[in-house]
């Protein structure tokens, strides 16, 4: 199934983890928004996405190839493992396309391969402004992110860091054993954690970052 709209996605038990796995999507139609979940309206907690492959070979340049296109709820204790999204002509390519959550606490990403055009990352392509926002305890290991143009990051493509001058809490963000590449000579805003962002208490280990300038 594609373009699913969910009110929430969370388990009933405190430590119970549920896995969504083994999904393959191949798209060759010229359109915006190729996804599994189009909108997640409420919170997501204790969910693991495993063995997901999304390929977009459409002829034109469009936007949003993701597992989740729009996320509106808070995220807690989630993970993405063995995920490949190959959409070299598309913009806003990541596990989550647009994130409006006020609180993201606890996310792990392992063995993620993402290819896109502009605003490309393993976790969130575009994080939108909100009056209060927290991003903490997010770890990415063995991430490969490849973009053609701008805003290319290991975890985030573009992440606003303040709202009307008030800084967000962005803390304990780690990327290890990863590669982030802007392939064009004019590619800008390339980073191990994010293309456009800033944060406190962050670590980048054994990670290669390459950009045009």
């Amino acid at each position: 199934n594609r373009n699913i709209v969910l009110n929430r996605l969370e388990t009933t038990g405190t430590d119970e983890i549920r896995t969504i796995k083994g999904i393959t999507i191949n798209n060759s139609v010229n359109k915006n928004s190729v996804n599994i979940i189009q909108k997640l309206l409420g919170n997501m907690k204790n969910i693991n996405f495993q063995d997901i492959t999304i390929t977009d070979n459409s002829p034109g340049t469009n936007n949003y190839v993701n597992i989740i296109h729009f996320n509106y709820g808070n995220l807690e204790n989630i993970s993405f493992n063995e995920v490949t999204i190959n959409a070299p002509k598309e913009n806003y390519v990541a596990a989550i396309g647009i994130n409006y959550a006020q609180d993201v606490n606890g996310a792990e990403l392992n063995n993620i391969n993402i290819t896109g055009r502009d605003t490309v990352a393993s976790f969130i392509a575009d994080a939108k402004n909100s009056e209060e926002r927290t991003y903490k305890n997010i770890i990415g290991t063995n991430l490969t992110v490849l973009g053609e143009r701008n805003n290319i990051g290991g975890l985030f493509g573009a992440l606003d860091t303040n709202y009307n001058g008030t800084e967000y809490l962005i803390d304990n963000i780690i990327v290890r054993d990863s590669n982030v590449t802007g392939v064009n000579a004019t590619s800008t805003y390339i980073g191990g954690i994010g293309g456009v962002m800033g944060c406190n208490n962050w670590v980048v280990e054994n990670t290669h970052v390459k950009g045009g300038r």
Side-chain angles (χ1 to χ4, degrees):
N1 290 327
R2 306 185 192 180
N3 298 314
I4 300 169
V5 177
L6 298 175
N7 284 325
R8 63 188 178 93
L9 186 58
E10 54 188 347
T11 63
T12 55
T14 303
D15 299 320
E16 182 184 14
I17 305 295
R18 293 293 185 182
T19 297
I20 299 170
K21 65 182 296 185
I23 298 175
T24 299
I25 293 176
N26 293 291
N27 179 67
S28 59
V29 178
N30 198 29
K31 66 174 184 176
N32 286 321
S33 189
V34 175
N35 58 75
I36 299 170
I37 300 170
Q38 184 183 48
K39 293 181 182 180
L40 180 56
L41 303 175
N43 296 340
M44 179 162 64
K45 181 178 180 180
N46 297 340
I47 301 297
N48 171 45
F49 292 90
Q50 178 92 31
D51 298 324
I52 308 290
T53 300
I54 302 175
T55 303
D56 190 301
N57 292 316
S58 58
T61 297
N62 299 289
N63 299 321
Y64 306 112
V65 180
N66 321 106
I67 295 174
I68 302 169
H69 183 171
F70 293 103
N71 175 66
Y72 294 93
N74 293 330
L75 306 176
E76 182 180 353
N77 192 26
I78 63 171
S79 59
F80 297 87
N81 294 284
E82 308 294 341
V83 171
T84 297
I85 303 178
N86 185 23
K89 295 183 179 180
E90 311 305 311
N91 305 320
Y92 301 99
V93 181
I96 299 173
I98 303 178
N99 183 57
Y100 290 95
Q102 291 186 328
D103 188 13
V104 178
N105 183 6
E108 291 191 10
L109 297 94
N110 300 288
N111 301 325
I112 312 295
N113 291 277
I114 308 290
T115 301
R117 181 175 178 265
D118 193 283
T119 313
V120 184
S122 66
F123 187 27
I124 297 171
D126 189 10
K128 294 297 186 181
N129 266 326
S130 126
E131 293 186 7
E132 298 179 2
R133 178 171 296 168
T134 299
Y135 285 88
K136 61 184 181 180
N137 304 322
I138 301 170
I139 301 173
T141 304
N142 195 20
L143 314 175
T144 301
V145 180
L146 182 68
E148 183 180 337
R149 297 186 68 190
N150 310 314
N151 306 334
I152 303 162
L155 292 169
F156 304 96
L159 172 62
D160 295 321
T161 58
N162 70 82
Y163 182 82
N164 290 339
T166 300
E167 293 291 327
Y168 298 147
L169 174 59
I170 304 175
D171 189 39
N172 192 27
I173 312 296
I174 300 172
V175 171
R176 299 188 178 106
D177 304 326
S178 298
N179 289 278
V180 181
T181 305
V183 298
N184 280 356
T186 57
S187 296
T188 59
Y189 301 110
I190 319 297
I193 290 176
V196 180
M197 67 167 294
C199 65
N200 300 314
N201 190 17
W202 56 270
V203 175
V204 178
E205 297 178 342
N206 192 30
T207 293
H208 183 251
V209 178
K210 180 180 179 181
R213 55 188 172 92

